[in-house]
Amino acid sequence: EMQQRYYSNQVSVRLRRGAVMDDKTRMTDTIPYERNTYAFPVSLVSPPILLQTRVEKTDVCTNELGTIYQKQVWKDSIEGVGCESPYECDEDLLNTSLSLMSCSSKETPHEFFGQTSQNLRGKTQFYEFLQSITDAPILVRQGEQFETSSFLDAQTTSVSMTMVAFAPEYGLASTISITALLSADVRMDFTVKHFQSL
């Protein structure tokens, strides 16, 4: 009986009433291509890539006072009212001082943001598509969530963005690289290289 009701009402179900387009029209209509002409005859050949060098966190700072201070701030936090009812601190904060405040070691981590490090240009680096970091608040890898706002942090020592563009009218390929070296101060540099096709 249920199947018979479905088939007898199939036409009216397909032609739904309302402001939205009905199924029949939606399945037969075409969508016009929205063409945006290039103001300048240049386009990106590939998505821009971010390359990052970074170091591991450590609770042993370069000076004794820094080490004592880091551990005291963590101890005050977990023993203070911030971790008492009705508040609750997560296991990571309760078990390691690095989750609250840390210094930087000279060691490079093996993994970051769900990716293993790569040896690129003689340096151990981590890569990511620029769009993955800038266009989404969360990145998911192997079921683990990463907040993209934390891609750059205190353990980042340098970050560079590289893109490749091509100008068909001139047969010219260009690589553009912008690099920031992060330490007590920030230094920026850029390089532009052009390659003429034959």
Side-chain angles (χ1 to χ4, degrees):
E1 184 183 333
M2 182 94 121
Q3 194 172 19
Q4 186 180 4
R5 283 175 62 194
Y6 169 75
Y7 283 117
S8 63
N9 293 319
Q10 193 174 14
V11 174
S12 61
V13 169
R14 282 194 179 154
L15 298 172
R16 291 178 296 180
R17 310 281 187 257
V20 287
M21 188 184 301
D22 61 58
D23 286 347
K24 185 177 180 182
T25 307
R26 188 169 60 238
M27 290 170 26
T28 56
D29 275 6
T30 58
I31 301 170
Y33 176 72
E34 292 182 24
R35 182 177 60 205
N36 296 319
T37 57
Y38 289 90
F40 302 99
V42 176
S43 66
L44 288 176
V45 175
S46 63
I49 303 253
L50 286 176
L51 295 173
Q52 179 184 156
T53 59
R54 60 184 296 106
V55 292
E56 289 271 20
K57 292 179 176 183
T58 182
D59 58 358
V60 179
C61 301
T62 55
N63 60 75
E64 189 178 349
L65 181 59
T67 302
I68 294 168
Y69 180 77
Q70 185 266 348
K71 288 182 179 172
Q72 189 62 49
V73 167
W74 171 69
K75 187 178 176 193
D76 291 347
S77 296
I78 64 168
E79 292 176 356
V81 295
C83 289
E84 290 179 359
S85 183
Y87 306 106
E88 183 180 12
C89 292
D90 60 60
E91 288 298 314
D92 192 35
L93 177 61
L94 293 172
N95 295 325
T96 176
S97 63
L98 297 178
S99 61
L100 184 63
M101 179 189 289
S102 64
C103 292
S104 297
S105 71
K106 294 185 193 274
E107 303 296 318
T108 301
H110 175 67
E111 190 175 292
F112 178 65
F113 253 64
Q115 303 232 63
T116 55
S117 59
Q118 303 290 320
N119 193 334
L120 305 165
R121 301 182 199 158
K123 295 184 207 170
T124 303
Q125 299 187 67
F126 298 91
Y127 67 91
E128 196 62 68
F129 289 113
L130 176 65
Q131 187 174 6
S132 298
I133 299 300
T134 58
D135 287 3
I138 293 173
L139 189 62
V140 179
R141 289 222 168 92
Q142 289 100 31
E144 188 177 352
Q145 294 183 8
F146 300 94
E147 290 184 28
T148 54
S149 60
S150 64
F151 184 72
L152 300 178
D153 60 14
Q155 277 63 52
T156 304
T157 55
S158 73
V159 64
S160 63
M161 190 272 307
T162 302
M163 61 181 130
V164 180
F166 185 70
E169 185 174 346
Y170 305 107
L172 194 66
S174 303
T175 59
I176 302 114
S177 185
I178 304 165
T179 303
L181 300 174
L182 310 171
S183 55
D185 58 341
V186 177
R187 289 176 297 166
M188 299 285 293
D189 196 10
F190 71 94
T191 57
V192 178
K193 294 180 182 175
H194 301 291
F195 303 92
Q196 182 69 55
S197 62
L198 300 175

